[in-house]
PDB file of all heavy atoms in Angstrom:
ATOM      1  N   GLY T 913     -15.892 -22.372   2.070  1.00 91.00           N
ATOM      2  CA  GLY T 913     -17.175 -21.678   2.064  1.00 91.00           C
ATOM      3  C   GLY T 913     -17.214 -20.492   1.121  1.00 91.00           C
ATOM      4  O   GLY T 913     -16.367 -20.334   0.258  1.00 91.00           O
ATOM      5  N   ARG T 914     -18.202 -19.644   1.331  1.00 93.00           N
ATOM      6  CA  ARG T 914     -18.394 -18.484   0.462  1.00 93.00           C
ATOM      7  C   ARG T 914     -18.118 -17.164   1.160  1.00 93.00           C
ATOM      8  O   ARG T 914     -18.101 -16.127   0.527  1.00 93.00           O
ATOM      9  CB  ARG T 914     -19.828 -18.478  -0.062  1.00 93.00           C
ATOM     10  CG  ARG T 914     -20.090 -19.659  -0.951  1.00 93.00           C
ATOM     11  CD  ARG T 914     -21.457 -19.583  -1.533  1.00 93.00           C
ATOM     12  NE  ARG T 914     -21.696 -20.791  -2.322  1.00 93.00           N
ATOM     13  CZ  ARG T 914     -22.783 -20.993  -2.996  1.00 93.00           C
ATOM     14  NH1 ARG T 914     -23.742 -20.099  -2.985  1.00 93.00           N
ATOM     15  NH2 ARG T 914     -22.929 -22.099  -3.683  1.00 93.00           N
ATOM     16  N   ARG T 915     -17.928 -17.205   2.457  1.00 93.00           N
ATOM     17  CA  ARG T 915     -17.640 -15.994   3.216  1.00 93.00           C
ATOM     18  C   ARG T 915     -16.177 -16.034   3.647  1.00 93.00           C
ATOM     19  O   ARG T 915     -15.752 -16.964   4.334  1.00 93.00           O
ATOM     20  CB  ARG T 915     -18.536 -15.904   4.432  1.00 93.00           C
ATOM     21  CG  ARG T 915     -18.398 -14.593   5.160  1.00 93.00           C
ATOM     22  CD  ARG T 915     -19.325 -14.458   6.325  1.00 93.00           C
ATOM     23  NE  ARG T 915     -20.457 -15.364   6.191  1.00 93.00           N
ATOM     24  CZ  ARG T 915     -21.363 -15.554   7.110  1.00 93.00           C
ATOM     25  NH1 ARG T 915     -21.291 -14.911   8.235  1.00 93.00           N
ATOM     26  NH2 ARG T 915     -22.357 -16.382   6.923  1.00 93.00           N
ATOM     27  N   PRO T 916     -15.394 -15.025   3.262  1.00 94.00           N
ATOM     28  CA  PRO T 916     -13.980 -15.025   3.654  1.00 94.00           C
ATOM     29  C   PRO T 916     -13.808 -14.970   5.170  1.00 94.00           C
ATOM     30  O   PRO T 916     -14.619 -14.367   5.875  1.00 94.00           O
ATOM     31  CB  PRO T 916     -13.430 -13.750   3.023  1.00 94.00           C
ATOM     32  CG  PRO T 916     -14.426 -13.351   1.989  1.00 94.00           C
ATOM     33  CD  PRO T 916     -15.749 -13.875   2.449  1.00 94.00           C
ATOM     34  N   SER T 917     -12.746 -15.581   5.629  1.00 93.00           N
ATOM     35  CA  SER T 917     -12.347 -15.494   7.030  1.00 93.00           C
ATOM     36  C   SER T 917     -11.206 -14.479   7.111  1.00 93.00           C
ATOM     37  O   SER T 917     -10.295 -14.503   6.281  1.00 93.00           O
ATOM     38  CB  SER T 917     -11.872 -16.854   7.529  1.00 93.00           C
ATOM     39  OG  SER T 917     -11.249 -16.715   8.790  1.00 93.00           O
ATOM     40  N   PHE T 918     -11.258 -13.627   8.111  1.00 94.00           N
ATOM     41  CA  PHE T 918     -10.217 -12.610   8.255  1.00 94.00           C
ATOM     42  C   PHE T 918      -9.370 -12.823   9.502  1.00 94.00           C
ATOM     43  O   PHE T 918      -8.722 -11.899   9.982  1.00 94.00           O
ATOM     44  CB  PHE T 918     -10.855 -11.211   8.256  1.00 94.00           C
ATOM     45  CG  PHE T 918     -11.589 -10.929   6.977  1.00 94.00           C
ATOM     46  CD1 PHE T 918     -12.971 -10.903   6.948  1.00 94.00           C
ATOM     47  CD2 PHE T 918     -10.901 -10.727   5.800  1.00 94.00           C
ATOM     48  CE1 PHE T 918     -13.651 -10.665   5.764  1.00 94.00           C
ATOM     49  CE2 PHE T 918     -11.562 -10.484   4.609  1.00 94.00           C
ATOM     50  CZ  PHE T 918     -12.950 -10.455   4.593  1.00 94.00           C
ATOM     51  N   VAL T 919      -9.354 -14.050  10.013  1.00 92.00           N
ATOM     52  CA  VAL T 919      -8.578 -14.324  11.222  1.00 92.00           C
ATOM     53  C   VAL T 919      -7.080 -14.183  10.978  1.00 92.00           C
ATOM     54  O   VAL T 919      -6.313 -14.055  11.930  1.00 92.00           O
ATOM     55  CB  VAL T 919      -8.919 -15.717  11.815  1.00 92.00           C
ATOM     56  CG1 VAL T 919     -10.368 -15.786  12.243  1.00 92.00           C
ATOM     57  CG2 VAL T 919      -8.559 -16.831  10.850  1.00 92.00           C
ATOM     58  N   GLY T 920      -6.651 -14.183   9.729  1.00 93.00           N
ATOM     59  CA  GLY T 920      -5.232 -14.024   9.405  1.00 93.00           C
ATOM     60  C   GLY T 920      -4.741 -12.593   9.487  1.00 93.00           C
ATOM     61  O   GLY T 920      -3.541 -12.342   9.419  1.00 93.00           O
ATOM     62  N   ALA T 921      -5.652 -11.636   9.625  1.00 96.00           N
ATOM     63  CA  ALA T 921      -5.251 -10.231   9.749  1.00 96.00           C
ATOM     64  C   ALA T 921      -4.873  -9.929  11.191  1.00 96.00           C
ATOM     65  O   ALA T 921      -5.405 -10.526  12.127  1.00 96.00           O
ATOM     66  CB  ALA T 921      -6.404  -9.320   9.312  1.00 96.00           C
ATOM     67  N   ALA T 922      -3.952  -8.997  11.359  1.00 96.00           N
ATOM     68  CA  ALA T 922      -3.548  -8.604  12.712  1.00 96.00           C
ATOM     69  C   ALA T 922      -4.685  -7.878  13.416  1.00 96.00           C
ATOM     70  O   ALA T 922      -5.438  -7.130  12.785  1.00 96.00           O
ATOM     71  CB  ALA T 922      -2.327  -7.699  12.648  1.00 96.00           C
ATOM     72  N   PRO T 923      -4.818  -8.069  14.720  1.00 96.00           N
ATOM     73  CA  PRO T 923      -5.823  -7.301  15.469  1.00 96.00           C
ATOM     74  C   PRO T 923      -5.400  -5.829  15.500  1.00 96.00           C
ATOM     75  O   PRO T 923      -4.221  -5.510  15.334  1.00 96.00           O
ATOM     76  CB  PRO T 923      -5.780  -7.932  16.866  1.00 96.00           C
ATOM     77  CG  PRO T 923      -4.428  -8.538  16.977  1.00 96.00           C
ATOM     78  CD  PRO T 923      -4.051  -8.972  15.591  1.00 96.00           C
ATOM     79  N   PRO T 924      -6.363  -4.938  15.740  1.00 96.00           N
ATOM     80  CA  PRO T 924      -6.046  -3.503  15.765  1.00 96.00           C
ATOM     81  C   PRO T 924      -4.890  -3.125  16.694  1.00 96.00           C
ATOM     82  O   PRO T 924      -4.122  -2.212  16.380  1.00 96.00           O
ATOM     83  CB  PRO T 924      -7.350  -2.853  16.218  1.00 96.00           C
ATOM     84  CG  PRO T 924      -8.407  -3.800  15.749  1.00 96.00           C
ATOM     85  CD  PRO T 924      -7.804  -5.180  15.908  1.00 96.00           C
TER      86      PRO T 924
END
Side-chain angles (χ1 to χ4, degrees):
R914 295 184 183 183
R915 187 177 339 174
S917 169
F918 299 108
V919 297

